[in-house]
Amino acid sequence: MRLFKRILIANRGEIAVRIIRACHELGIETVAVYSDVDRDSLHVRLADEAICIGPAELSQSYLNIPAIISAAEITDSEAIHPGYGFLAEDAHFAEACIASKITFIGPTPENIRTGGDKAKARHIMKKKGIPVVPGSDGPVETEEEALRAAKKIGYPVILKASAGGGGKGMRIVNNEDELAQQYHTAQQEALSAFGNAELYIEKYLPEIRHVEVQIIADDSGRIVHLGERDCSIQRRHQKLIEEAPFIFSTSRLRKRLGEYAIKAASALKYRNAGTIEFIVDKDKNIYFMEVNTRIQVEHPVTEMITGIDIIKEQIRIAAGQPISFKQKEVRFTGHCIECRINAEDPERFIPSPGRITMFIPPGGQGVRVDTAAYSGWNVLPYYDSLIAKLVVHGGDREEAIVKMRRALREFIIEGIKTTIPFHQKVINHPDFISGNFNTHFLDNFNEASV
Ligand code: ADP
């Protein structure tokens, strides 16, 4: 069966470059879209064609659905890949593509809607017998309801926005007074950030690891999983370093994670690539947390330990083809670590936009750099500060750490500040090296002597 002739990529930065590469290897032409300040960006140069879709403001360019659909129509693009962020989890966008007879490379609008409603997704999983973090039965509509639910669950609890994402809209509350104080502010925050004030409550679990499972599903309903990723190195609930496999995984734990992930995907009638996120506590209990209905930033760590190109699978599945491999053919080799390198001050994490005067990425065996940066490129203040994903693959975790240390040392980025020095500190920290950490590893990290 034939794949697409031409795909439009509704994104920018490293993920647009990553998708263009997959397309070209599949013999598919690519169309880049860009805002007028992004004219010199790498995705524009690498694509076969490029169309300016508006000014820097997101609402007028990368979030401008009519402009993107028109760009696809003008260029005869048969499909759109949304990447991550921007319109990737906007069910209206997926519907607009379908209505315009353009294939949306990703899950169904229904998948996106359910994934975007965390309280609903939790409810579905609970019904299917997948363990969820103890919490409220659905949303808590009033402060009184929130207080009642929290009392039943036991403090501390975490207030979460049903429509939340990217670590935003969450508040940990330790007692009734704090809950009463925070409830309305959290509602307001959720409303202004996500356009939806709905909140739900979960028990706040201490000393946890964030472990997620990559899944892929095709039109025939076949679902496979590509093992787990440990994303516990977080700052303000946002991932900074990811690795695969989870070092304390056992064949039993991996089997259970895989079974839950497939069951979750099946309950959602999931299509294309997605991630099922779990919490693993120190006694190895697993709890479902949420579904991410997109390709994720950290997908390369899974690609490097499995040898499977997830973006190519996404494209094939969107074209109606079956998954190109069987579950039993998935092999996990070695260990992989990814550092997200941001254009930020490494101490205070304040964005550091500006011109990169020198950019020399590391190389060598087992080193992959996914980036759209180059010497002379201007890091723009309007967009995400992620400028490179440095991914290394070693025979085991120890070798991966040595490789990461070497690669971080080699990486030259001049003209702006980056988080490379921060990653060097983490990689050399005894608790990181021993694997003995949880999601609080970075609390007070920069103040601590390392
Ligand atoms: P988002 O969609 O905003 O990323 P998640 O639900 O995925 O939100 O949670 C982000 C992070 O917050 C998790 O990786 C974990 O570190 C922390 N977290 C979420 N829920 C809990 C919980 N119930 N107990 C402890 N930590 C939690």
Side-chain angles (χ1 to χ4, degrees):
M1 204 201 285
R2 153 186 187 280
L3 290 173
F4 307 102
K5 183 168 184 296
R6 190 172 298 141
I7 290 176
L8 180 140
I9 296 105
N11 216 303
R12 66 184 296 282
E14 68 85 18
I15 193 62
V17 169
R18 163 76 187 91
I19 298 163
I20 291 169
R21 286 179 174 147
C23 289
H24 287 170
E25 287 178 22
L26 290 170
I28 298 169
E29 293 170 14
T30 52
V31 177
V33 292
Y34 62 97
S35 69
D36 57 10
V37 290
D38 246 345
R39 212 166 284 274
D40 294 328
S41 286
L42 193 59
H43 72 293
V44 175
R45 286 197 193 199
L46 295 187
D48 299 285
E49 231 180 288
I51 291 207
C52 182
I53 47 166
E57 292 91 275
L58 288 180
S59 62
Q60 294 190 57
S61 50
Y62 296 105
L63 295 180
N64 184 344
I65 298 179
I68 292 171
I69 299 280
S70 304
E73 284 172 340
I74 293 163
T75 54
D76 281 331
S77 300
E78 297 168 78
I80 295 184
H81 197 307
Y84 54 69
F86 294 148
L87 295 168
E89 286 164 295
D90 184 326
H92 291 299
F93 179 58
E95 278 165 352
C97 290
I98 297 165
S100 308
K101 303 209 164 22
I102 296 164
T103 304
F104 176 79
I105 303 176
T108 64
E110 189 51 32
N111 292 158
I112 298 174
R113 274 210 177 88
T114 317
D117 184 341
K118 302 212 264 183
K120 188 171 171 197
R122 237 177 88 83
H123 182 69
I124 295 173
M125 299 311 151
K126 210 171 154 186
K127 265 199 349 217
K128 289 283 164 185
I130 299 167
V132 299
V133 184
S136 58
D137 291 323
V140 283
E141 313 278 359
T142 60
E143 187 185 315
E144 293 67 44
E145 210 184 307
L147 285 163
R148 258 200 312 277
K151 193 168 182 188
K152 218 165 114 193
I153 300 158
Y155 290 93
V157 296
I158 182 162
L159 264 178
K160 286 191 179 185
S162 291
K168 293 189 201 88
M170 281 187 308
R171 275 157 186 253
I172 299 157
V173 288
N174 293 301
N175 52 49
E176 278 189 5
D177 287 349
E178 276 183 32
L179 183 58
Q181 271 167 25
Q182 303 275 359
Y183 182 80
H184 295 285
T185 343
Q187 260 191 336
Q188 276 311 314
E189 236 177 58
L191 185 65
S192 62
F194 312 109
N196 178 350
E198 194 177 279
L199 301 176
Y200 68 103
I201 293 183
E202 276 182 3
K203 172 101 187 141
Y204 182 70
L205 301 173
E207 297 180 46
I208 54 146
R209 301 285 277 233
H210 171 121
V211 181
E212 58 184 36
V213 179
Q214 175 73 53
I215 51 124
I216 301 183
D218 64 20
D219 284 351
S220 72
R222 204 154 67 82
I223 308 166
V224 296
H225 76 83
L226 299 184
E228 80 283 356
R229 298 185 279 258
D230 176 7
C231 312
S232 303
I233 303 287
Q234 305 180 345
R235 183 175 176 273
R236 302 204 172 143
H237 308 300
Q238 287 186 351
K239 302 161 186 169
L240 288 178
I241 298 180
E242 300 94 346
E243 42 186 316
F246 171 39
I247 40 156
F248 297 129
S249 199
T250 54
S251 53
R252 191 165 159 263
L253 185 75
R254 173 168 302 140
K255 193 159 164 274
R256 272 168 58 221
L257 282 166
E259 280 168 7
Y260 287 148
I262 286 180
K263 209 168 168 184
S266 155
L268 299 170
K269 296 194 174 50
Y270 201 83
R271 291 290 173 276
N272 215 279
T275 300
I276 316 291
E277 293 190 336
F278 298 96
I279 280 176
V280 176
D281 72 12
K282 57 182 189 320
D283 301 319
K284 301 257 169 77
N285 294 308
I286 302 169
Y287 303 95
F288 165 84
M289 192 158 46
E290 67 163 336
V291 187
N292 285 317
T293 56
R294 58 166 191 272
I295 187 73
Q296 284 194 275
V297 175
E298 59 270 26
H299 75 275
V301 296
T302 301
E303 294 188 324
M304 284 180 91
I305 63 159
T306 59
I308 292 164
D309 185 316
I310 302 171
I311 305 267
K312 284 186 188 166
E313 287 300 322
Q314 284 195 295
I315 295 170
R316 288 195 199 99
I317 291 165
Q321 291 192 1
I323 301 168
S324 70
F325 55 89
K326 297 195 174 58
Q327 183 70 64
K328 63 174 190 301
E329 291 165 355
V330 178
R331 295 268 174 281
F332 303 102
T333 313
H335 195 94
C336 191
I337 304 177
E338 171 181 279
C339 288
R340 298 189 188 195
I341 295 169
N342 292 335
E344 285 170 10
D345 175 308
E347 298 278 325
R348 293 171 301 156
F349 296 91
I350 296 163
S352 171
R355 192 164 301 281
I356 298 179
T357 50
M358 180 81 86
F359 186 87
I360 307 176
Q365 198 198 19
V367 176
R368 166 175 169 177
V369 182
D370 278 20
T371 183
Y374 57 87
S375 297
W377 182 59
N378 196 9
V379 179
L380 298 166
Y382 317 103
Y383 307 117
D384 198 87
S385 59
L386 178 72
I387 46 165
K389 301 189 310 204
L390 173 57
V391 198
V392 298
H393 187 216
D396 55 20
R397 189 169 186 269
E398 210 179 310
E399 193 186 25
I401 290 175
V402 170
K403 242 181 227 289
M404 183 57 87
R405 198 175 287 140
R406 185 274 283 172
L408 284 167
R409 207 175 120 177
E410 258 178 47
F411 213 148
I412 299 172
I413 305 177
E414 287 171 3
I416 57 163
K417 286 183 179 163
T418 77
T419 50
I420 290 176
F422 159 81
H423 285 295
Q424 283 171 320
K425 276 210 280 186
V426 176
I427 285 293
N428 289 314
H429 193 288
D431 290 345
F432 182 81
I433 293 169
S434 69
N436 181 22
F437 55 83
N438 58 44
T439 50
H440 293 290
F441 178 75
L442 294 181
D443 298 356
N444 312 317
F445 184 75
N446 273 333
E447 289 89 63
S449 56
V450 186

